[in-house]
Amino acid sequence: MRTRRRLTSIGRCQGRELWLAPSILAADMTALGAQVRTALAAGATWIQADIMDGHFVPNLSFGPLIVEALRPLSDGLLDCHLMISQPERYIDAFADAGADLITIHVEATPHVHRALQAIKARGLLAGVALNPHTPLSMIEEIAQDLDLLLIMTVNPGFGGQRFIAHSLDKIRRARQLLDARGLQHVVLQVDGGIEPDNVRAVAEAGATCFVAGSSVFGAPEGIAAAVDAFRRALAAT
């Protein structure tokens, strides 16, 4: 992945570098800075901020101010996943707050290509997300414009949900689509129900970045131990 940020992989599978992206949606907001620092110190140089508007998804989270507060904590990659309607309205706000990567949903705007171009015009990496029911055909005409493709393996809006098992087939087909078009540089990210127990299967299906919220920030063994558990699971690939 081409980025100006420090980005250390957490493993390799089938010749591909792998990254863990803890989602702060599951973090303790009263100790957000300390928890993010712990995750970064444990080796997770990619942090995801899940932005929810209560309209596109049935939940509210946070906005650019939290992203701005996170920015000084790390020279790693700060990923903003916009689960919001008409995300193009907020690209500048999250770019100004310090995002390195902005991911939008194809279901959230009729102007996906225009939004991707607006993200890139700000010098940021651009991603597109697909909900579980959304077919891969929705990105066929924009695949060449992507830095990241996100496959949702739960219905977005809430953390702590179970991984939808048949999503593995969709991940495999997404990998085939990218590889067939010579787009191996595009990060294939997966979000929803990712745990050390299933991350190996997801990597073997072709994913290269794993978003983990409650299985990192809510892990009873602690954040650093949880990151290490992902590292050990992926080392087995």
Side-chain angles (χ1 to χ4, degrees):
M1 186 178 193
R2 307 180 189 99
T3 174
R4 66 186 185 277
R5 296 291 182 183
R6 179 175 64 91
L7 190 56
T8 304
S9 63
I10 200 165
R12 294 184 68 85
C13 181
Q14 300 169 359
R16 295 184 288 266
E17 284 193 285
L18 308 175
W19 297 283
L20 178 67
S23 167
I24 65 166
L25 185 65
D28 178 354
M29 288 296 156
T30 66
L32 180 59
Q35 291 201 342
V36 168
R37 288 189 183 95
T38 299
L40 293 167
T45 55
W46 185 318
I47 297 293
Q48 188 182 82
D50 286 313
I51 314 301
M52 304 179 183
D53 64 357
H55 182 260
F56 179 68
V57 294
N59 198 6
L60 290 167
S61 59
F62 38 76
L65 289 178
I66 292 293
V67 176
E68 186 176 2
L70 285 175
R71 181 70 278 168
L73 300 183
S74 171
D75 60 353
L77 190 140
L78 186 49
D79 171 2
C80 290
H81 175 195
L82 304 189
M83 289 177 271
I84 63 178
S85 299
Q86 296 180 276
E88 58 271 22
R89 297 179 299 165
Y90 297 98
I91 289 168
D92 285 336
F94 285 99
D96 291 343
D100 298 300
L101 163 67
I102 292 179
T103 298
I104 64 171
H105 275 258
V106 296
E107 308 91 353
T109 176
H111 304 296
V112 176
H113 182 264
R114 181 183 298 166
L116 292 173
Q117 296 306 111
I119 294 168
K120 288 177 176 287
R122 290 299 308 264
L124 307 184
L125 300 168
V128 155
L130 300 178
N131 281 340
H133 73 281
T134 304
L136 285 170
S137 59
M138 292 294 289
I139 60 99
E140 287 185 353
E141 302 303 326
I142 55 169
Q144 67 278 2
D145 300 305
L146 301 179
D147 297 298
L148 177 145
L149 172 60
L150 168 54
I151 304 296
M152 293 299 301
T153 49
V154 298
N155 289 293
F158 297 92
Q161 300 182 66
R162 286 184 176 272
F163 179 85
I164 299 173
H166 62 76
S167 298
L168 283 173
D169 179 63
K170 189 175 185 180
I171 296 165
R172 291 188 191 100
R173 289 184 286 113
R175 170 50 56 197
Q176 292 167 1
L177 184 155
L178 294 174
D179 288 353
R181 298 188 178 205
L183 300 174
Q184 291 88 350
H185 66 281
V186 175
V187 173
L188 182 52
Q189 188 179 68
V190 175
D191 184 356
I194 300 297
E195 302 173 345
D197 289 344
N198 62 21
V199 71
R200 176 176 177 174
V202 176
E204 291 177 345
T208 52
C209 182
F210 315 96
V211 179
S214 55
S215 57
V216 171
F217 289 114
E221 66 272 25
I223 294 167
V227 172
D228 188 59
F230 274 102
R231 181 183 291 107
R232 288 185 279 108
L234 292 170
T237 64

